[in-house]
Amino acid sequence: MKNLKIFTPFIIGLSIIFGCSDLKEQPFSFFSPDQFYKTSSDAEAALNAVYGPLNGLYGREGWQVPDYSADQMFPRAVVSRDLLTTFNYDATLAFLGPYWSNCYSGISNANALLANMASVNMDATRKKQIEAEAKFMRALYYFHLAKNFGDVPVRKLPVLGVNDTEIAKSPVKDVYKFIIEDLLFAEANLPASTSVKGRPINMTATALLAKIYLYNEEYANASSYAKKAIDSKVYDLMPDVVSLWDPNKEDANRKEMIFAVEYTRVPNTRAGMDIAAFNAPAGSAPKFCPVVYGSQFAYINFYKSFDSNDLRKKLMDTSFVDPKGVYVGQGKPGGVIYDRAFIRKYEDPQGTGANQLENNFPILRYADVLLIHAEAEARSKGVTADA
């Protein structure tokens, strides 16, 4: 036994000394920026990566962070969501991290693409369009950061080393200035139309510019760009506001949906947002959605603020009949939907799971552009007939 105790460390020592050579890994292939950005396929793949974080951003945080902090809806008080409603949180709140990181991931991917496009050998027109799409998306990500966080670091180039990781925040006015520069380039170089779903055209950039100028309090420019989008006749209001939210009519509804995050109910594809599951009241599956959480509601006073003849009121409800035919109303305190309305915009009974729904999430609608024009016109010129 004594000899065994001596012999065992000896073997271990030999294995450490002579085994190191076996740990050397020989790379057979790898990608680096100077190798990857060569063909049009490389550029298109890199562009897809710019869009990628948008899916994650709107999976939850993209609508939770702003909507729970507004005046129309509120969440159930679980996992600290209600802190967004009461404004009783700091930078450690879990919802803020993914919001921030998804935006900067998209920005990082856009910066990498734009910094390497010069080495790509492809059609010059499409090359310029790819650059325009990347700048449009970079502007959109920065807009999310600016409107929610104010002063943020502005990265215009890829991070190439440790020394690039720490940069100071820029004043929010400078952030908006950079956003506007990107969107002006996008407006000038994006195509007038596209057959690819979820991609911007030149008027998409025009409409987003109107919104950016409004947020930046440049009201004359906001009014001008909104009017430009209106006069283009590219977009229009859909006649039925209820069917506007029908996931089976998403292609027809693109007339009003200027830019949206595209999701799908097709199994084994990328997971989408689960906003329908959050909106549908407990016990209602699969009437409104295959899986329901009953996690967020409209304030009852917001629901009551709509005239009974207003079709938008049909996009909310205060009662439902469950799959067994049982009526569920306002009931008693603590009930499923007591003193609240549930939101019916994002219903998809044909969905294949909580986050496999066909509903697209609109980032910008033609209705927004009309309201932007009215507000910007009123703020810049007063309450004119046009406003």
Side-chain angles (χ1 to χ4, degrees):
M1 182 66 71
K2 180 178 179 181
N3 292 337
L4 179 61
K5 290 180 180 178
I6 297 171
F7 190 61
T8 301
F10 176 72
I11 293 175
I12 294 173
L14 287 177
S15 66
I16 292 173
I17 295 170
F18 295 106
C20 290
S21 60
D22 295 333
L23 296 177
K24 292 181 179 179
E25 184 175 355
Q26 179 182 352
F28 291 94
S29 65
F30 59 90
F31 282 113
S32 63
D34 59 324
Q35 290 177 311
F36 177 71
Y37 292 94
K38 297 297 183 184
T39 68
S40 59
S41 296
D42 295 340
E44 298 288 356
L47 181 61
N48 287 337
V50 177
Y51 286 94
L54 198 63
N55 178 54
L57 176 62
Y58 277 95
R60 284 191 181 181
E61 289 80 14
W63 41 272
Q64 289 178 336
V65 170
D67 285 355
Y68 292 168
S69 303
D71 301 324
Q72 296 84 35
M73 62 180 291
F74 64 96
R76 276 198 298 124
V78 292
V79 297
S80 304
R81 293 190 190 101
D82 56 317
L83 296 181
L84 289 164
T85 301
T86 60
F87 298 97
N88 187 27
Y89 60 91
D90 58 25
T92 64
L93 185 68
F95 296 90
L96 301 182
Y99 198 107
W100 179 276
S101 61
N102 273 306
C103 287
Y104 273 111
S105 290
I107 290 166
S108 176
N109 293 345
N111 286 343
L113 171 61
L114 292 166
N116 290 282
M117 279 300 288
S119 62
V120 179
N121 182 22
M122 64 180 298
D123 174 74
T125 300
R126 179 56 188 153
K127 188 174 187 177
K128 189 67 72 173
Q129 289 174 355
I130 288 176
E131 292 174 344
E133 284 190 58
K135 288 192 174 185
F136 174 89
M137 290 303 301
R138 184 168 67 177
L140 181 62
Y141 289 126
Y142 270 123
F143 176 47
H144 279 291
L145 293 167
K147 72 177 182 176
N148 283 289
F149 300 106
D151 300 349
V152 295
V154 174
R155 294 192 177 278
K156 303 180 182 181
L157 298 171
V159 176
L160 300 177
V162 175
N163 293 333
D164 298 334
T165 58
E166 297 291 338
I167 60 172
K169 292 188 293 185
S170 295
V172 68
K173 286 287 185 182
D174 290 343
V175 181
Y176 277 117
K177 181 180 179 182
F178 183 58
I179 292 170
I180 290 167
E181 290 174 1
D182 269 358
L183 288 178
L184 288 173
F185 180 92
E187 183 189 40
N189 293 284
L190 285 171
S193 63
T194 180
S195 60
V196 183
K197 297 178 181 181
R199 296 296 177 90
I201 60 174
N202 54 3
M203 276 299 130
T204 316
T206 302
L208 186 56
L209 270 165
K211 191 165 188 173
I212 300 302
Y213 280 126
L214 183 70
Y215 269 73
N216 202 34
E217 300 180 348
E218 297 181 57
Y219 300 121
N221 282 335
S223 176
S224 175
Y225 275 85
K227 188 70 161 58
K228 186 177 179 180
I230 293 167
D231 290 344
S232 73
K233 305 297 183 183
V234 172
Y235 305 107
D236 202 356
L237 292 174
M238 298 302 292
D240 182 358
V241 71
V242 176
S243 64
L244 175 65
W245 301 94
D246 186 340
N248 296 315
K249 299 179 180 179
E250 63 178 28
D251 288 333
N253 291 332
R254 294 181 194 281
K255 187 70 176 174
E256 181 170 338
M257 298 290 191
I258 295 176
F259 192 67
V261 190
E262 302 280 329
Y263 292 111
T264 178
R265 65 170 77 100
V266 177
N268 302 317
T269 56
R270 66 179 184 175
M273 61 178 179
D274 51 6
I275 192 171
F278 270 73
N279 283 333
S284 65
K287 186 178 179 65
F288 306 122
C289 178
V291 178
V292 302
Y293 303 150
S295 290
Q296 61 189 31
F297 302 91
Y299 289 106
I300 194 66
N301 288 336
F302 177 68
Y303 172 80
K304 291 178 178 179
S305 70
F306 288 84
D307 186 274
S308 297
N309 295 320
D310 193 324
L311 292 178
R312 292 173 298 174
K313 199 168 188 177
K314 294 182 179 295
L315 296 170
M316 296 176 283
D317 215 333
T318 56
S319 64
F320 67 97
V321 177
D322 73 13
K324 296 181 179 180
V326 177
Y327 173 83
V328 180
Q330 289 291 289
K332 298 178 181 179
V336 173
I337 50 173
Y338 174 74
D339 197 32
R340 62 195 63 185
F342 66 95
I343 302 161
R344 301 193 57 178
K345 275 185 178 181
Y346 300 96
E347 295 177 4
D348 187 9
Q350 297 172 287
T352 57
N355 58 358
Q356 291 287 184
L357 307 167
E358 194 65 31
N359 311 77
N360 294 337
F361 191 92
I363 294 178
L364 192 60
R365 287 170 49 200
Y366 184 65
D368 299 330
V369 174
L370 295 175
L371 292 171
I372 290 168
H373 178 54
E375 179 177 351
E377 184 76 4
R379 288 181 179 273
S380 60
K381 299 179 182 178
V383 186
T384 64
D386 197 25

